[in-house]
Amino acid sequence: MKHKVLEVNDLTIIYRTLEGNVHAVDDVSFSIEKGESLCLVGESGSGKSTIALAIMRALPPNAKILRGEIILNGKDLLRMDEKEFSKIRGKELSIIFQDPAASFNPLFTVGETISDVLKYKLGINDKKKIKEIALRALKEAGLPDVERVYNSYPHELSGGMLQRASIAIAISVNPSLLIADEPTTMLDVTLQAQILETLKDLKDRLGLSILFVTHNLGVAAFICDKTLIVYAGRALEYGSTEEILKRPLHPYTRKLLKSVPRIGAKREKLPFIPGSLPDLRNPPRGCIFAPRCEEAREICFKVRPKMLEYHPGHYVACHKYSEGNWG
Ligand SMILES: Nc1ncnc2c1ncn2[C@@H]1O[C@H](COP(=O)(O)OP(=O)(O)OP(=O)(O)O)[C@@H](O)[C@H]1O
Ligand SMILES: [Mg+2]
């Protein structure tokens, strides 16, 4: 049996606000095996970052996890104390953000930042050894002239170089799982494609497991073995990316596919699907997508569809595919 690096089960998260509880993530499950990459794909507001932050135990204070498990290498992250988790954060689990500046302190050079990470997370004290690992990581992240980058301050690097440097930090600790939350959206399109290429290369060469967050199914097609389609906090479709692209089942996935922005296209447009996300403070009773679904029938507005395995390894939450409901 393959080794499961990450298992997320029935994850349910709300944000408390003055206007009521926002049901940001509702009963979401997925898993990632060693060396595998999984994309969370969905429009803005679908709960992708909330899921990523929950795994990093970095949710804002008004968030509350109502239910679920997040199991990393057999240990439930939600049921360990802060001391135990601090050994995992930044070591077994690394993250790269949309804004690479978030991974750096502007007052320290790139080399100092990586060195600190290696010292405190891996307990390496040998200065020569630290620099050796840091330079290798920078090279692996696709940076030229690594000695210069090592000695640079964040503001001295371009956005693309800084994102590569943040990838270097993330992989320098040899993490079990790398979380990448839209790491290319702030970059111009040629750079986007190059950085995706680098991440894919790292995955193949280092056997890195990746949780990739994107609104772009084209990105998923390029880099991810598996895809989970999320919409308004709920998982709608799940399976191998190839299967989902070849045989999209959920009406939402089909719409997303029609609006895929091409990687490297001149202007990256966000997927456009008529209508908008429902109010997550008061989500509809049945299928969450029903109000925007052209195929919706009465049952869709009344009963919440379960995630069912339609083809082996290909799951969908839609009444169309459950026997007896559709007629
Ligand atoms: N701190 C917060 N307080 C209240 N609501 C929040 C908070 N953070 C996020 N939300 C809400 O939770 C829902 C999910 O947000 P989230 O940021 O996880 O979506 P996303 O899929 O990452 O979107 P994007 O593609 O724009 O990054 C949204 O409705 C959002 O408005
Ligand atoms: Mg987000």
Side-chain angles (χ1 to χ4, degrees), residues 6-59:
L6 181 77
E7 223 182 312
V8 171
N9 295 320
D10 313 324
L11 188 63
T12 303
I13 304 169
I14 57 162
Y15 288 105
R16 295 203 182 92
T17 73
L18 290 174
E19 289 81 37
N21 291 340
V22 176
H23 297 264
V25 176
D26 193 344
D27 208 19
V28 168
S29 303
F30 60 90
S31 67
I32 301 179
E33 277 160 15
K34 173 137 185 44
E36 190 175 60
S37 54
L38 176 135
C39 272
L40 292 179
V41 181
E43 285 165 281
S44 183
S46 50
K48 307 182 296 293
S49 295
T50 304
I51 295 169
L53 290 173
I55 298 169
M56 292 300 295
R57 294 219 335 194
L59 285 166

Side-chain angles (χ1 to χ4, degrees), residues 259-273:
S259 59
V260 167
R262 208 157 38 84
I263 307 174
K266 272 260 146 49
R267 210 178 298 142
E268 175 162 352
K269 276 189 291 188
L270 290 175
F272 179 75
I273 298 170

Side-chain angles (χ1 to χ4, degrees), residues 41 216-227 229 237-249 253-254 256-258 260 314:
V41 181
N216 185 341
L217 254 177
V219 171
F222 183 75
I223 199 168
C224 290
D225 305 307
K226 283 198 297 198
T227 291
I229 308 282
E237 188 159 356
Y238 180 46
S240 80
T241 306
E242 197 187 345
E243 168 78 14
I244 286 181
L245 292 177
K246 220 176 356 182
R247 249 194 295 204
L249 297 173
T253 312
R254 294 188 178 176
L256 264 186
L257 255 178
K258 282 200 188 127
V260 167
H314 189 168

Side-chain angles (χ1 to χ4, degrees), residues 45 47-50 98 181-182 213:
K48 307 182 296 293
S49 295
T50 304
Q98 200 168 48
D181 191 348
E182 310 236 25
V213 169

Side-chain angles (χ1 to χ4, degrees), residues 162-177:
L162 201 59
Q163 192 56 288
R164 285 184 188 281
S166 83
I167 292 172
I169 297 183
I171 61 166
S172 67
V173 294
N174 197 11
S176 299
L177 181 71

Side-chain angles (χ1 to χ4, degrees), residues 101-121 130 134 150 152-154 165-166 169 172:
S103 305
F104 294 90
N105 181 329
L107 302 178
F108 292 109
T109 63
V110 168
E112 284 166 337
T113 299
I114 304 192
S115 300
D116 266 7
V117 169
L118 293 171
K119 197 166 153 193
Y120 294 110
K121 294 294 172 186
I130 285 181
Y150 185 87
S152 297
Y153 287 91
S166 83
I169 297 183
S172 67

